[in-house]
Amino acid sequence: MRYAKNRKAQTRARIVESASLSLRETGIQMSIVEIMRAAGLTHGGFYAHFESREALLGEVFETAMDQTLRWWRRLAAEGVPRPGIAKIVETYLHQDHRDNPARGCAVAAFVSDIRRQGPKSRRVFSLKLDEMTKEVAQQVAPPSSDLARQEAIAVITAMIGTLMLARAADCADLSDEILKAGLQAILGPGELPKSPGSPCGEK
Amino acid sequence: MRYAKNRKAQTRARIVESASLSLRETGIQMSIVEIMRAAGLTHGGFYAHFESREALLGEVFETAMDQTLRWWRRLAAEGVPRPGIAKIVETYLHQDHRDNPARGCAVAAFVSDIRRQGPKSRRVFSLKLDEMTKEVAQQVAPPSSDLARQEAIAVITAMIGTLMLARAADCADLSDEILKAGLQAILGPGELPKSPGSPCGEK
DNA sequence: TGTACATCAGTGAACGCGCGTTCACTGATGTAC
DNA sequence: TGTACATCAGTGAACGCGCGTTCACTGATGTAC
């Protein structure tokens, strides 16, 4: 071997991470040139790591959803002794998350594109979504019932819908109003959240 | 004039309508060739009607959101004497709407793309969204209060989030479960809806 | 009513451009001696 | 330790393709006589 044994794997991971950011920032029309440049490489090297653009996409869907799932788990752990759900929802519907899509929730970033992907990517999406549902179900009370699962789904869809509309709104007033309405609808009219500890999705 | 006076306007409207369908079915990466072919024309004629692809896009955003708004108004009228909101939500979260995005809700079709549009399109989106919020606020009880507006926003975001996730799910079971969870979260655990009168958005 | 003309909505070939993909090459590094 | 060689991750020019856009042309139709 001419290079440290895991050097190629590290480069590959860097490309995936770069693509994960691009996907959430630019959308599914992100280009390979853009991804590779952001990873500090030139576009030609791409095919030493991936068979095609589509192959990368599939992997990025999975990686990004895993990141989001881990983020939620971290938040839930920080949320005790309150129900973990409150910490998740407050962080998710915070302005910092709204304003930083590139490091934010994967689901909100590409839900609308999944419909048009191949069966493999669609499968991965559904499986990861199911994992996320289970995680959230454990944070609502009472956990582990059919009702908890149904509630978890409702919380997830409400969070995602709220975030996407808040991001689409073009003036801060309307956008903040949407965030607040979503927050209160999910958590009830409790005290307003003090600025949460980890403002954004990653790092 | 060599043609009936409103012939050009009719053709133009046909292009917009074709683009409105394409936008919701294919997404924002719809092509001019595709739109014009669906309108029974060839691509070259496009620039006799629109200055650019972007100009068409802006007009289609507005037209499509207007169609959705009118659809909601029709449903609200059909929903009396029950609160009109029930009719809207039940129809919105019905399988027929989920399975026919091309003729369905404009907001769900392109919320995630609005962020990346120019200020004009973003403005139009926010204005139309505000109109939709007002319409829904009139259907919740008690209408015309600040609380009604906040509730209306929550209903809209929940509907959109639910629909988008249901469309992304790759198996019917999960997708139906999402629709049902969204429905119950918004309307409460009432009787399940009998198949609504107008299954889909348009016509 | 019938014919010649003028108009311009719509056609389709052609353009440049950015994209995904390929490929001959390079040059940094590990190995053999 | 020092030198020659082998490897292959990464480079960058080149490719075909589909896209948005342009433009010279056509042909259906309204108007003038």
Side-chain angles (χ1 to χ4, degrees):
Chain A
M1 261 167 225
R2 310 101 293 134
Y3 292 107
K5 32 192 133 172
N6 63 343
R7 184 189 146 131
K8 186 171 182 185
Q10 283 177 345
T11 304
R12 185 191 159 99
R14 234 169 59 233
I15 297 172
V16 171
E17 178 57 20
S18 164
S20 173
L21 294 170
S22 286
L23 178 62
R24 285 174 286 177
E25 179 65 41
T26 312
I28 201 146
Q29 65 271 28
M30 62 181 184
S31 80
I32 289 179
V33 173
E34 171 198 349
I35 293 165
M36 294 297 277
R37 193 184 316 127
L41 298 163
T42 55
H43 63 279
F46 178 80
Y47 295 88
H49 297 279
F50 299 94
E51 202 185 310
S52 65
R53 184 181 189 281
E54 216 196 338
L56 170 71
L57 251 187
E59 195 164 326
V60 173
F61 287 143
E62 181 155 19
T63 306
M65 295 213 30
D66 264 330
Q67 285 176 340
T68 301
L69 180 56
R70 282 200 301 274
W71 177 39
W72 288 7
R73 288 195 172 130
R74 230 180 302 133
L75 288 171
E78 286 174 26
V80 290
R82 283 197 304 173
I85 193 70
K87 182 74 179 180
I88 294 177
V89 176
E90 284 167 12
T91 311
Y92 197 95
L93 295 183
H94 194 277
Q95 283 107 335
D96 290 331
H97 185 209
R98 176 195 63 195
D99 297 337
N100 291 285
R103 298 190 168 273
C105 175
V107 187
F110 49 71
V111 222
S112 45
D113 296 306
I114 291 298
R115 262 181 60 217
R116 293 181 281 264
Q117 300 309 305
K120 258 185 164 172
S121 294
R122 304 197 60 190
R123 196 83 273 272
V124 163
F125 180 87
S126 286
L127 289 173
K128 291 293 160 192
L129 182 62
D130 203 67
E131 282 187 59
M132 295 166 101
T133 303
K134 280 171 182 146
E135 176 59 31
V136 172
Q138 283 173 18
Q139 307 301 327
V140 300
S144 302
S145 66
D146 278 359
L147 196 71
R149 180 172 164 87
Q150 185 174 310
E151 266 177 42
I153 292 175
V155 168
I156 293 174
T157 54
M159 285 200 302
I160 289 169
T162 301
L163 182 68
M164 297 187 78
L165 269 178
R167 282 180 176 163
D170 77 331
C171 63
D173 283 356
L174 177 58
S175 185
D176 289 347
E177 190 189 9
I178 293 169
L179 283 184
K180 193 183 147 211
L183 204 53
Q184 300 222 354
I186 300 173
L187 294 182
E191 79 289 12
L192 288 180
K194 28 318 164 189
S195 60
S198 65
C200 200
E202 291 160 25
K203 237 110 277 157
Chain B
M1 262 166 226
R2 310 97 295 135
Y3 292 106
K5 34 192 133 172
N6 63 343
R7 186 189 147 131
K8 187 170 181 184
Q10 283 178 345
T11 303
R12 187 191 157 97
R14 235 168 60 233
I15 297 172
V16 171
E17 177 58 21
S18 165
S20 174
L21 293 169
S22 285
L23 178 63
R24 286 176 285 178
E25 178 65 41
T26 312
I28 201 147
Q29 66 271 27
M30 63 179 185
S31 78
I32 290 179
V33 173
E34 172 198 348
I35 293 164
M36 293 298 275
R37 193 183 317 126
L41 298 162
T42 57
H43 63 279
F46 178 81
Y47 295 88
H49 297 280
F50 299 94
E51 201 186 312
S52 66
R53 184 182 190 281
E54 216 195 339
L56 170 70
L57 251 188
E59 194 164 326
V60 173
F61 286 142
E62 181 155 17
T63 307
M65 298 219 18
D66 264 331
Q67 284 176 342
T68 301
L69 180 58
R70 281 200 303 271
W71 177 39
W72 288 7
R73 288 195 172 132
R74 230 179 304 134
L75 289 169
E78 288 174 25
V80 292
R82 285 194 304 171
I85 192 71
K87 181 74 177 181
I88 294 177
V89 176
E90 284 167 12
T91 309
Y92 196 95
L93 295 183
H94 193 277
Q95 283 107 334
D96 290 331
H97 185 210
R98 176 194 66 196
D99 298 337
N100 290 285
R103 298 189 168 274
C105 175
V107 187
F110 49 72
V111 223
S112 44
D113 297 307
I114 291 298
R115 262 183 59 217
R116 292 181 282 264
Q117 300 309 305
K120 257 185 165 173
S121 294
R122 303 197 61 191
R123 197 81 275 269
V124 163
F125 180 87
S126 286
L127 289 175
K128 290 294 160 191
L129 182 62
D130 202 66
E131 283 187 57
M132 294 166 102
T133 303
K134 281 173 181 144
E135 175 59 32
V136 172
Q138 284 173 16
Q139 307 301 326
V140 300
S144 303
S145 67
D146 278 359
L147 197 73
R149 181 172 164 87
Q150 185 173 311
E151 266 177 42
I153 292 175
V155 168
I156 292 173
T157 54
M159 285 201 302
I160 289 168
T162 301
L163 181 68
M164 296 187 79
L165 270 178
R167 281 179 178 164
D170 78 330
C171 61
D173 283 357
L174 178 57
S175 185
D176 289 348
E177 191 188 7
I178 293 168
L179 284 185
K180 193 182 146 210
L183 203 53
Q184 300 221 352
I186 301 172
L187 293 184
E191 79 288 9
L192 288 179
K194 35 297 165 203
S195 60
S198 65
C200 200
E202 293 161 25
K203 237 110 277 157

